[in-house]
Amino acid sequence: MSDPTERDHGAWTLMYRYVEAQNRRGALAEALGFRLGGGRGKVLFQLRDRPMTLRELAEANNVDAPYATLIVDKLEAHGLVERRPHPDDRRRKLVTLTAAGHDAIATADAILLRPPSSVSALTSDELRQLADLIRRLLDAEGDTAVRD
């Protein structure tokens, strides 16, 4: 495997297989009583830090405004978000988490962020190396949201 493309493909295949083996979407759906597919989970987590307008949500998710509205409608139907008037422009709406939305995020974090038991097969040094490598990958993608 001297070809970088083959090497990259092999590493990616292994990472993907490992992550998929840890899939907890079913457990999350059971805990919440519904699935967070169709972009709903991503939007819910984006609202964790601050309310956002529909336009901001559409741009952040690379979808058009009608689709962002549909996502928010479904989250709102589950009582996870609500629309409020924007303080600077009452024609625009801010989408904000409800108490149930905050609870759903806490539930999701408890389920999704719990390390699988297989992680304990790595030493502290190996875990530190793995974390460093993943940070480098995130940096290469321009992801500034994940930092220790």
Side-chain angles (χ1 to χ4, degrees):
M1 259 205 216
S2 59
D3 179 11
T5 304
E6 288 180 35
R7 181 198 66 216
D8 296 350
H9 180 76
W12 174 250
T13 299
L14 289 171
M15 283 193 305
Y16 184 79
R17 283 179 49 204
Y18 183 76
V19 170
E20 280 300 303
Q22 310 309 318
N23 183 327
R24 297 179 180 156
R25 288 185 287 262
L28 181 59
E30 185 176 324
L32 295 177
F34 55 89
R35 293 200 177 275
L36 281 176
R40 292 184 299 272
K42 188 174 181 183
V43 167
L44 188 68
F45 292 124
Q46 288 169 335
L47 294 169
R48 175 194 311 253
D49 296 325
R50 67 179 179 87
M52 297 173 74
T53 65
L54 284 168
R55 170 176 274 162
E56 288 172 324
L57 288 169
E59 289 172 1
N61 292 283
N62 201 28
V63 298
D64 60 19
Y67 191 71
T69 299
L70 181 65
I71 292 170
V72 169
D73 287 346
K74 290 188 180 206
L75 290 171
E76 194 171 40
H78 288 292
L80 304 177
V81 301
E82 63 185 8
R83 291 173 176 95
R84 294 182 178 169
H86 193 286
D88 299 331
D89 182 354
R90 298 191 59 81
R91 293 171 295 176
R92 297 185 328 176
K93 299 290 183 197
L94 278 176
V95 181
T96 187
L97 290 174
T98 62
H102 286 287
D103 290 346
I105 287 174
T107 297
D109 282 346
I111 292 169
L112 300 175
L113 300 179
R114 183 183 65 244
S117 59
S118 57
V119 168
S120 66
L122 300 177
T123 67
S124 295
D125 285 341
E126 290 169 331
L127 285 171
R128 198 170 8 270
Q129 287 175 329
L130 178 60
D132 289 344
L133 291 169
I134 293 170
R135 275 190 208 91
R136 283 178 52 197
L137 292 173
L138 290 170
D139 288 344
E141 290 290 323
D143 186 340
T144 59
V146 180
R147 296 288 180 260
D148 269 354

